[in-house]
Amino acid sequence: MEKGAPMPRVAIMGSGISGLAAAKELRWLEPVLFEATDSIGGVWKHASFRSTRLQTPRPDYEFSDYQWPDRNDPSFPTHAEILDYLHGYATHFDLWRFIKMETRVVELRFVGDGRPSASAGSFSELWGGKGRPFADKPAWEVGVVSGPSGVVQWYEFDFVVMCIGKYGDVANMPEFPRGRGPEIFRGKVLHTLDYCKLDEESSKQLMKGKKVVIFGYKKSAIDLAVECAEANQGDDGQPCTMVIRTLHWTVPSYSIWGFPFFLFFSTRFSQFLHERPNQGLLRSFACRLLSPLRTGVSKFIESYLSWKLPLEKYGLKPDHPFVEDYASCQMAILPEKFFAEADAGRIEFKKSSSQWCFWEGGVVLDDNTKVKADVVLLATGFDGKKKLRSVLPEPYRGLIVDSSGVMPLYRGTIHPLIPHMAFVGYIESVSNLHTSELRCKWLGRLLRGQFELPPVEAMFRQTTEEIEVMKRTTRFYRRHCISTFSINHSDAMCEEMGWSSWRKKNWLAEAFAAYCNQDYMEEDKLE
């Protein structure tokens, strides 16, 4: 940014973890943060159940410059504790002055120069012509509606940061054969998005004494099953039935045969076993030689989970390696009482493909088995891509995902063909807070002009390589997850920011200690 030039105007959309981190890192630009609801917190406020807890310990889920007040507490924080933590973060860094509550973004218009094209020659026209984040004039018009007025107000911005997230807001609903959808069912059908809006008493009354069927076997479905079982204690209680399409590995704690979980995936040494983007011939050869060790680590973890949990008893043992779930961010932490409730008969399991439908008294599975139900809860996830498409204009709407179904983001932040815009919170790792915060630090330095983006073609080569690595690592690659090469991913961002990529104090810690947010404090605070 040239000295004496007017301060660029920056808009941030969404006040979840990513939006707050972006506001903090860009506060020197006096950004405007648009929040559609009356509260910050994102999914922790609007897409959490009363029993929802964090899936990582407190120290692994904190901002690098704002620690938990009770970070030595080994328990996993509840969603209410996380909201308190985020409110404290916003207050500590004086972020409230940037936030416009109950102000919903309804439309974006690109008014800058440069449009995406199939012609490689047009690539150089994007990003200010030279990889610059700011052009010579405003690039985006943002249309917002405040409160109940319904009137759209338009604002001009030089740069937009999308932090509206992949979860919440837009439910991913199954499709059913004509005449076999929920309209013929006599009971109630709720997506988890609707369930989250119920208070504690209403949610208990919804399930108490009722035949409840839950579709799904990820974190939300598992939490729902435990809440259902707790609501059905006593003689009049009914078992909850989980219908599972795809099995995934679940973990009861962050200890495997007495070893801390981070030893297997979160150190430089452990990640050396796994393929990473642009690793070169020598390292590719080393990865091939080390594949038996990589397989052995996965089987070591699987042996513990099969011993610790009654997976065989309930037919819940996946037929794919544990590492594939870890590499695709599919691993879920089990609530403490989950299998205890199953042993007591309050949670039952059935399997079905996506080819299921309704009948008057319940649901029909793919083998024509009829399951009676009073309530059907759909833990079928959210459609974050649809949410983005509803805001972005053409032709950018069609660029959200590539042919593999993954959103191609350079450094997990920049779409090469959508100029003067960043996306934070759309790439996943073991700790999404860490993933988002580091990208906001990187974005802050990009907007300060401390480095420039590479040519669009080079950004595409990088994102394509990452996607190809995910394809070779896991069958569940249709989400941008960097868990098995997260340190290498962070190294590249540090180098572009002018930081040292090795963040530990000595080589022993560098090789065998877990990497976490505290390793990515500002350079001057490490001295």
Side-chain angles (χ1 to χ4, degrees):
M1 193 167 59
E2 295 181 7
K3 188 175 182 180
M7 188 74 73
R9 286 178 54 79
V10 175
I12 301 171
M13 297 179 194
S15 66
I17 284 172
S18 299
L20 294 176
K24 183 259 178 180
E25 294 298 331
L26 304 181
R27 63 192 189 279
W28 57 280
L29 284 169
E30 298 287 321
V32 179
L33 194 160
F34 297 111
E35 168 54 47
T37 71
D38 62 355
S39 174
I40 67 170
V43 294
W44 292 111
K45 175 65 177 179
H46 305 291
S48 297
F49 313 145
R50 57 184 172 83
S51 63
T52 301
R53 286 182 174 269
L54 188 63
Q55 294 203 82
T56 53
R58 293 168 201 265
D60 295 336
Y61 198 86
E62 66 180 3
F63 294 103
S64 61
D65 47 11
Y66 186 76
Q67 296 184 352
W68 285 89
D70 50 353
R71 71 190 308 265
N72 293 322
D73 183 346
S75 66
F76 294 168
T78 65
H79 71 281
E81 290 177 298
I82 295 170
L83 285 175
D84 287 343
Y85 174 70
L86 295 179
H87 275 76
Y89 178 81
T91 300
H92 181 77
F93 290 108
D94 192 23
L95 304 181
W96 297 105
R97 61 195 174 98
F98 305 130
I99 303 173
K100 291 184 177 293
M101 295 289 191
E102 298 185 272
T103 306
R104 181 168 55 94
V105 175
V106 294
E107 187 180 350
L108 294 176
R109 295 173 181 167
F110 183 71
V111 294
D113 296 325
R115 299 274 176 173
S117 167
S119 169
S122 68
F123 283 176
S124 61
E125 298 174 9
L126 301 171
W127 292 98
K130 297 180 180 179
R132 294 184 289 121
F134 299 119
D136 296 327
K137 64 177 184 178
W140 293 96
E141 287 182 343
V142 179
V144 302
V145 172
S146 300
S149 69
V151 178
V152 179
Q153 295 177 296
W154 290 92
Y155 301 89
E156 288 189 338
F157 291 97
D158 299 278
F159 198 91
V160 173
V161 187
M162 300 292 290
C163 301
I164 59 178
K166 299 189 293 184
Y167 306 109
D169 298 323
V170 179
N172 182 34
M173 299 295 290
E175 295 183 0
F176 302 98
R178 186 173 181 179
R180 304 300 299 275
E183 68 277 358
I184 68 170
F185 177 50
R186 294 173 183 167
K188 293 183 177 180
V189 180
L190 282 81
H191 188 273
T192 50
L193 186 61
D194 303 308
Y195 180 86
C196 291
K197 299 173 184 177
L198 301 177
D199 58 35
E200 182 174 349
E201 185 58 32
S202 298
S203 62
K204 287 182 179 178
Q205 291 303 315
L206 174 72
M207 298 185 289
K208 185 174 177 59
K210 308 287 179 56
K211 295 182 178 68
V212 179
V213 174
I214 299 172
F215 281 86
Y217 190 60
K218 294 183 183 177
K219 180 61 176 170
S220 294
I222 291 170
D223 285 345
L224 268 179
V226 173
E227 291 196 10
C228 181
E230 290 176 345
N232 280 282
Q233 305 283 334
D235 296 336
D236 61 340
Q238 295 283 344
C240 163
T241 302
M242 295 189 74
V243 179
I244 303 167
R245 178 185 176 187
T246 303
L247 289 171
H248 292 287
W249 290 96
T250 54
V251 179
S253 67
Y254 278 93
S255 177
I256 304 294
W257 293 121
F259 294 96
F261 190 83
F262 73 78
L263 287 178
F264 303 104
F265 292 107
S266 300
T267 68
R268 282 194 184 276
F269 178 78
S270 61
Q271 291 199 358
F272 184 79
L273 302 177
H274 297 273
E275 185 179 0
R276 66 181 60 167
N278 306 310
Q279 61 184 8
L281 289 176
L282 185 60
R283 199 176 183 289
S284 296
F285 180 69
C287 269
R288 187 173 295 240
L289 286 179
L290 293 171
S291 62
L293 184 56
R294 188 166 61 246
T295 301
V297 169
S298 186
K299 288 189 175 299
F300 182 75
I301 296 173
E302 293 163 31
S303 70
Y304 173 78
L305 299 178
S306 299
W307 168 79
K308 181 73 174 177
L309 305 174
L311 302 179
E312 297 277 9
K313 175 181 176 180
Y314 292 110
L316 298 178
K317 184 177 180 180
D319 59 5
H320 58 267
F322 174 86
V323 68
E324 289 198 41
D325 278 342
Y326 187 86
S328 57
C329 297
Q330 300 276 2
M331 181 189 77
I333 299 294
L334 279 177
E336 185 177 349
K337 299 178 181 179
F338 181 73
F339 279 115
E341 297 290 3
D343 291 340
R346 286 187 284 270
I347 300 177
E348 298 177 348
F349 307 96
K350 291 187 178 295
K351 296 178 184 176
S352 180
S353 70
S354 58
Q355 304 302 313
W356 65 275
C357 57
F358 286 91
W359 62 291
E360 293 90 341
V363 298
V364 184
L365 306 184
D366 59 353
D367 61 357
N368 291 322
T369 298
K370 288 188 174 182
V371 181
K372 292 183 178 180
D374 301 305
V375 178
V376 174
L377 298 174
L378 302 175
T380 50
F382 302 92
D383 194 336
K385 294 165 187 172
K386 183 177 180 180
K387 182 164 56 168
L388 276 176
R389 290 190 184 104
S390 70
V391 177
L392 286 174
E394 292 290 359
Y396 306 108
R397 191 176 298 164
L399 300 173
I400 291 302
V401 297
D402 64 7
S403 58
S404 67
V406 179
M407 191 171 178
L409 295 177
Y410 178 72
R411 303 300 184 225
T413 310
I414 298 295
H415 193 300
L417 293 182
I418 306 183
H420 315 300
M421 178 176 285
F423 298 81
V424 183
Y426 295 88
I427 187 171
E428 298 183 55
S429 68
V430 177
S431 174
N432 288 332
L433 183 149
H434 161 62
T435 305
S436 292
E437 187 191 27
L438 184 58
R439 274 136 200 82
C440 289
K441 292 178 183 290
W442 178 89
L443 177 62
R445 283 152 184 78
L446 172 67
L447 298 192
R448 284 184 184 273
Q450 294 182 3
F451 63 93
E452 292 184 348
L453 292 172
V456 170
E457 299 93 324
M459 288 194 280
F460 264 124
R461 282 196 297 271
Q462 176 65 30
T463 59
T464 300
E465 178 63 18
E466 288 184 13
I467 292 169
E468 290 302 314
V469 168
M470 287 188 285
K471 285 183 179 181
R472 291 191 290 269
T473 305
T474 174
R475 70 195 70 184
F476 309 111
Y477 63 84
R478 287 184 179 272
R479 54 200 295 170
H480 202 160
C481 177
I482 59 170
S483 288
T484 56
F485 56 91
S486 59
I487 298 175
N488 172 258
H489 201 274
S490 299
D491 286 349
M493 300 184 79
C494 287
E495 289 166 4
E496 285 183 336
M497 290 190 288
W499 290 9
S500 169
S501 58
W502 283 40
R503 313 295 295 172
K504 303 289 188 181
K505 294 181 178 179
N506 57 69
W507 69 267
L508 195 62
E510 193 66 54
F512 300 107
Y515 257 83
C516 63
N517 260 23
Q518 298 306 313
D519 295 307
Y520 296 95
M521 293 175 63
E522 306 298 326
E523 291 279 75
D524 57 350
K525 294 179 181 179
L526 291 173
E527 297 175 355

